[in-house]
Amino acid sequence: KKDNMPLEAIMRTDDHHIAKHNKILGMKYKDDIQLVFLGDSLTRRWEDNIGIWNTYFAAYHPVNFGVGGDSLENIKWRILNDELEGINPKVIMVLAGTNNLDKDPEEVIVSGIEEIVGMIQAKLKDTKIVVLGLLPRNHTEAGKNYGKKIARINRQLTARFARTKITFKDIGAILMNEKGRVSNAI
């Protein structure tokens, strides 16, 4: 894959993905969807914290379109396969790209996020798009540190979405403790 080539849309065929995709297709018929969360497991995990979800988001008529393990290619496939059809939310929040860190250079991740945003803009013309930067990750058990790569990606996204209608937020710093690790309190 060349760095300047669009990401291939890839369908996952595992039972989890198929079940979640079908669930999302059914969720689209929920009354008055005003806020969509689109992403990977970092988004999907709100389902594990329904009390917090309801406290902070229920008033905004939200739906959770997060799927654990999704890479940018999988999210692109989901967009191309009807997950955003027939809805007109006020806001869509996108958190994606962390599952591409191992396999893709930062340019591919940045352009993949931009491509997904462009697809959303084409389908949801009146929807405000909020993109969250890649969140910090602790070192892997093998000692791999993604901190600098994440920081470079987020700087590129900040520049690319500056002076556009897209709201980009890098909230990673507030998730870190004084030792430079993801806070256990989070």
Side-chain angles (χ1 to χ4, degrees):
K1 165 173 54 177
K2 302 265 190 230
D3 288 355
N4 59 355
M5 296 296 292
L7 289 171
E8 179 182 356
I10 298 175
M11 176 188 182
R12 287 177 44 202
T13 57
D14 56 281
D15 291 343
H16 165 73
H17 181 265
I18 293 168
K20 185 64 190 242
H21 177 64
N22 288 331
K23 180 180 178 185
I24 289 169
L25 293 177
M27 291 166 64
K28 293 189 327 177
Y29 300 104
K30 180 181 178 201
D31 292 336
D32 196 30
I33 294 171
Q34 295 299 311
L35 173 61
V36 174
F37 288 81
L38 178 68
D40 51 41
S41 64
L42 294 169
T43 301
R44 196 241 14 111
R45 286 188 183 130
W46 282 110
E47 295 172 359
D48 301 339
N49 297 283
I50 200 68
I52 295 171
W53 172 269
N54 287 335
T55 298
Y56 291 99
F57 303 121
Y60 303 104
H61 306 277
V63 290
N64 186 336
F65 289 5
V67 178
D70 263 8
S71 65
L72 294 169
E73 298 91 339
N74 307 131
I75 294 168
K76 181 177 177 180
W77 182 89
R78 294 193 292 123
I79 292 170
L80 290 171
N81 285 275
D82 298 332
E83 288 191 9
L84 300 181
E85 304 303 323
I87 63 173
N88 189 26
K90 289 181 181 174
V91 178
I92 186 166
M93 194 281 309
V94 179
L95 177 57
T98 197
N99 292 327
N100 291 74
L101 286 170
D102 265 340
K103 64 185 189 67
D104 291 315
E106 50 205 66
E107 298 79 19
V108 170
I109 296 171
V110 170
S111 65
I113 292 169
E114 284 183 302
E115 185 180 4
I116 286 169
V117 167
M119 294 169 69
I120 294 168
Q121 287 177 308
K123 289 183 179 292
L124 304 175
K125 295 183 184 338
D126 299 324
T127 299
K128 178 178 176 74
I129 302 171
V130 177
V131 177
L132 292 183
L134 272 67
L135 299 180
R137 292 170 58 166
N138 287 330
H139 294 47
T140 66
E141 290 188 18
K144 181 112 176 155
N145 181 357
Y146 292 105
K148 289 180 179 162
K149 186 174 185 180
I150 290 170
R152 287 189 302 266
I153 289 167
N154 287 342
R155 280 194 301 273
Q156 289 179 52
L157 291 169
T158 298
R160 300 241 181 127
F161 291 128
R163 296 175 298 286
T164 71
K165 293 181 180 181
I166 307 306
T167 299
F168 177 77
K169 296 289 182 187
D170 179 4
I171 63 168
I174 64 173
L175 304 176
M176 303 297 282
N177 64 23
E178 61 282 350
K179 294 178 182 171
R181 295 185 55 78
V182 177
S183 172
N184 287 335
I186 300 298

